[in-house]
Amino acid sequence: FFSSRRRHTRLVSDWSSDVCSSDLKYRRMLGLFAFFYGTLHLLTYIGLDYQFNLDPIIDDVLNKKFIFIGFAAWLLMLPLVVTSNQKMVLILKQNWKKIHRLSYLIGIFAVLHFIWLSKTIFFEPLIYLIILITLLTLRLDFIKFLLKKKSVT
Protein backbone atom coordinates (compact mmCIF):
# COMPACT_ATOMS: atom_id res chain seq x y z
CA PHE A 1 0.00 0.00 0.00
CA PHE A 2 2.76 2.45 0.91
CA SER A 3 5.18 1.18 -1.71
CA SER A 4 6.53 4.50 -2.90
CA ARG A 5 6.98 8.07 -1.88
CA ARG A 6 4.61 9.18 -4.65
CA ARG A 7 1.87 7.05 -3.08
CA HIS A 8 2.47 8.73 0.28
CA THR A 9 2.13 12.19 -1.18
CA ARG A 10 -1.02 11.28 -3.03
CA LEU A 11 -2.68 10.40 0.25
CA VAL A 12 -2.35 13.97 1.48
CA SER A 13 -2.17 15.97 -1.74
CA ASP A 14 -4.70 18.47 -2.95
CA TRP A 15 -7.04 17.41 -5.68
CA SER A 16 -5.07 18.03 -8.86
CA SER A 17 -4.52 16.70 -12.35
CA ASP A 18 -1.88 14.17 -11.30
CA VAL A 19 -4.30 12.35 -8.98
CA CYS A 20 -6.54 9.79 -10.61
CA SER A 21 -10.24 9.84 -9.89
CA SER A 22 -10.18 6.62 -7.88
CA ASP A 23 -7.75 8.21 -5.37
CA LEU A 24 -10.07 11.21 -5.13
CA LYS A 25 -13.01 8.91 -4.45
CA TYR A 26 -11.17 7.20 -1.58
CA ARG A 27 -9.93 10.49 -0.11
CA ARG A 28 -13.47 11.89 -0.30
CA MET A 29 -14.83 8.78 1.42
CA LEU A 30 -12.12 9.03 4.09
CA GLY A 31 -12.99 12.69 4.69
CA LEU A 32 -16.70 11.93 5.00
CA PHE A 33 -15.90 9.10 7.40
CA ALA A 34 -13.79 11.50 9.49
CA PHE A 35 -16.75 13.87 9.67
CA PHE A 36 -19.10 11.00 10.56
CA TYR A 37 -16.72 9.87 13.33
CA GLY A 38 -16.32 13.44 14.59
CA THR A 39 -20.09 13.90 14.63
CA LEU A 40 -20.60 10.67 16.59
CA HIS A 41 -17.85 11.76 18.98
CA LEU A 42 -19.54 15.16 19.45
CA LEU A 43 -23.01 13.63 19.90
CA THR A 44 -21.65 11.18 22.46
CA TYR A 45 -20.15 14.07 24.43
CA ILE A 46 -23.31 16.17 24.17
CA GLY A 47 -25.77 13.32 24.78
CA LEU A 48 -24.07 11.05 27.28
CA ASP A 49 -22.09 13.59 29.28
CA TYR A 50 -24.63 16.42 29.37
CA GLN A 51 -27.95 14.94 28.23
CA PHE A 52 -28.20 17.71 25.59
CA ASN A 53 -28.19 20.47 28.25
CA LEU A 54 -26.62 23.38 26.33
CA ASP A 55 -25.55 25.62 29.23
CA PRO A 56 -22.75 23.38 30.58
CA ILE A 57 -21.73 22.47 27.01
CA ILE A 58 -21.27 26.13 26.09
CA ASP A 59 -19.38 26.66 29.34
CA ASP A 60 -17.07 23.73 28.47
CA VAL A 61 -16.45 25.00 24.94
CA LEU A 62 -15.50 28.43 26.27
CA ASN A 63 -13.40 27.26 29.24
CA LYS A 64 -11.72 23.98 28.28
CA LYS A 65 -9.17 24.35 25.51
CA PHE A 66 -9.33 20.70 24.38
CA ILE A 67 -13.10 20.95 23.90
CA PHE A 68 -12.79 24.32 22.15
CA ILE A 69 -10.19 23.05 19.68
CA GLY A 70 -12.16 19.84 19.05
CA PHE A 71 -15.34 21.80 18.42
CA ALA A 72 -13.44 24.19 16.13
CA ALA A 73 -12.13 21.21 14.15
CA TRP A 74 -15.65 19.84 13.78
CA LEU A 75 -16.99 23.24 12.66
CA LEU A 76 -14.19 23.53 10.10
CA MET A 77 -15.22 20.16 8.66
CA LEU A 78 -18.73 21.44 7.82
CA PRO A 79 -17.74 23.40 4.68
CA LEU A 80 -15.63 20.45 3.52
CA VAL A 81 -18.58 18.07 3.82
CA VAL A 82 -20.97 20.45 2.07
CA THR A 83 -18.52 20.96 -0.81
CA SER A 84 -17.29 17.37 -1.10
CA ASN A 85 -19.50 16.28 -3.99
CA GLN A 86 -18.48 16.49 -7.66
CA LYS A 87 -21.07 19.17 -8.44
CA MET A 88 -19.52 21.53 -5.89
CA VAL A 89 -16.05 20.85 -7.30
CA LEU A 90 -17.31 22.03 -10.69
CA ILE A 91 -19.15 25.05 -9.27
CA LEU A 92 -16.33 26.27 -7.00
CA LYS A 93 -13.42 25.47 -9.38
CA GLN A 94 -10.19 26.85 -7.83
CA ASN A 95 -12.01 27.96 -4.66
CA TRP A 96 -12.73 24.29 -3.95
CA LYS A 97 -9.00 23.68 -3.47
CA LYS A 98 -8.75 26.65 -1.12
CA ILE A 99 -11.65 25.45 1.01
CA HIS A 100 -10.31 21.91 1.20
CA ARG A 101 -6.91 23.11 2.39
CA LEU A 102 -8.70 23.49 5.72
CA SER A 103 -8.08 19.76 6.11
CA TYR A 104 -4.48 20.51 7.15
CA LEU A 105 -5.66 22.82 9.93
CA ILE A 106 -8.34 20.32 10.95
CA GLY A 107 -5.70 17.59 11.27
CA ILE A 108 -3.58 19.83 13.50
CA PHE A 109 -6.63 20.74 15.62
CA ALA A 110 -7.62 17.07 15.96
CA VAL A 111 -4.17 16.07 17.19
CA LEU A 112 -4.10 19.03 19.62
CA HIS A 113 -7.54 17.99 20.89
CA PHE A 114 -6.24 14.49 21.60
CA ILE A 115 -3.00 15.70 23.21
CA TRP A 116 -4.77 18.24 25.45
CA LEU A 117 -7.42 15.67 26.35
CA SER A 118 -4.82 13.15 27.55
CA LYS A 119 -3.89 13.98 31.10
CA THR A 120 -1.59 11.08 31.97
CA ILE A 121 -0.93 8.87 28.94
CA PHE A 122 0.79 10.77 26.14
CA PHE A 123 2.07 7.84 24.08
CA GLU A 124 -0.92 7.35 21.79
CA PRO A 125 -1.47 11.08 21.06
CA LEU A 126 2.23 11.40 20.26
CA ILE A 127 1.93 8.62 17.69
CA TYR A 128 -0.79 10.64 15.95
CA LEU A 129 1.38 13.76 16.17
CA ILE A 130 4.30 11.93 14.54
CA ILE A 131 2.03 10.60 11.79
CA LEU A 132 0.61 14.09 11.15
CA ILE A 133 4.07 15.70 11.05
CA THR A 134 5.28 13.00 8.67
CA LEU A 135 2.32 13.44 6.32
CA LEU A 136 2.58 17.24 6.36
CA THR A 137 6.32 17.03 5.70
CA LEU A 138 5.74 14.70 2.76
CA ARG A 139 3.12 17.13 1.49
CA LEU A 140 5.55 20.05 1.69
CA ASP A 141 8.22 18.02 -0.11
CA PHE A 142 5.73 17.23 -2.87
CA ILE A 143 4.79 20.92 -3.23
CA LYS A 144 8.48 21.90 -3.46
CA PHE A 145 9.00 19.20 -6.10
CA LEU A 146 6.08 20.54 -8.16
CA LEU A 147 7.34 24.12 -7.86
CA LYS A 148 10.81 23.10 -9.05
CA LYS A 149 9.27 21.14 -11.92
CA LYS A 150 7.20 24.17 -13.01
CA SER A 151 10.17 26.55 -12.83
CA VAL A 152 12.32 24.22 -15.01
CA THR A 153 9.72 23.98 -17.79
Side-chain angles (χ1 to χ4, degrees):
F1 185 71
F2 292 111
S3 59
S4 71
R5 185 178 177 134
R6 184 163 172 81
R7 183 71 178 152
H8 282 283
T9 56
R10 282 188 172 186
L11 289 173
V12 293
S13 67
D14 286 338
W15 180 76
S16 62
S17 61
D18 71 322
V19 178
C20 66
S21 62
S22 65
D23 281 348
L24 179 61
K25 182 172 59 174
Y26 291 120
R27 286 196 339 258
R28 183 178 293 153
M29 189 172 34
L30 182 64
L32 291 172
F33 176 75
F35 179 74
F36 175 71
Y37 175 82
T39 302
L40 287 179
H41 180 67
L42 179 64
L43 287 174
T44 300
Y45 162 74
I46 291 171
L48 295 180
D49 291 353
Y50 291 105
Q51 293 77 37
F52 299 97
N53 185 356
L54 290 182
D55 291 333
I57 294 169
I58 292 169
D59 187 51
D60 270 0
V61 169
L62 297 176
N63 295 319
K64 295 180 181 177
K65 64 182 179 181
F66 74 95
I67 293 176
F68 178 82
I69 203 79
F71 186 64
W74 184 81
L75 284 177
L76 288 173
M77 282 194 278
L78 288 174
L80 274 65
V81 169
V82 171
T83 61
S84 68
N85 60 53
Q86 190 62 36
K87 186 174 182 179
M88 291 303 288
V89 173
L90 297 173
I91 291 171
L92 294 171
K93 297 178 177 132
Q94 292 298 323
N95 290 326
W96 185 88
K97 286 183 184 181
K98 292 175 185 173
I99 292 170
H100 284 260
R101 286 188 184 128
L102 285 173
S103 61
Y104 303 121
L105 185 61
I106 292 166
I108 293 167
F109 281 9
V111 169
L112 279 175
H113 171 71
F114 195 22
I115 289 171
W116 289 342
L117 171 69
S118 302
K119 294 183 181 3
T120 57
I121 301 172
F122 290 107
F123 182 71
E124 188 177 358
L126 289 179
I127 291 172
Y128 287 100
L129 179 63
I130 291 167
I131 291 169
L132 179 68
I133 289 170
T134 302
L135 291 173
L136 290 176
T137 303
L138 289 171
R139 178 67 185 133
L140 286 174
D141 288 345
F142 184 68
I143 290 171
K144 288 177 187 175
F145 170 75
L146 284 179
L147 290 176
K148 283 182 184 178
K149 190 175 177 179
K150 285 182 181 179
S151 65
V152 171
T153 58

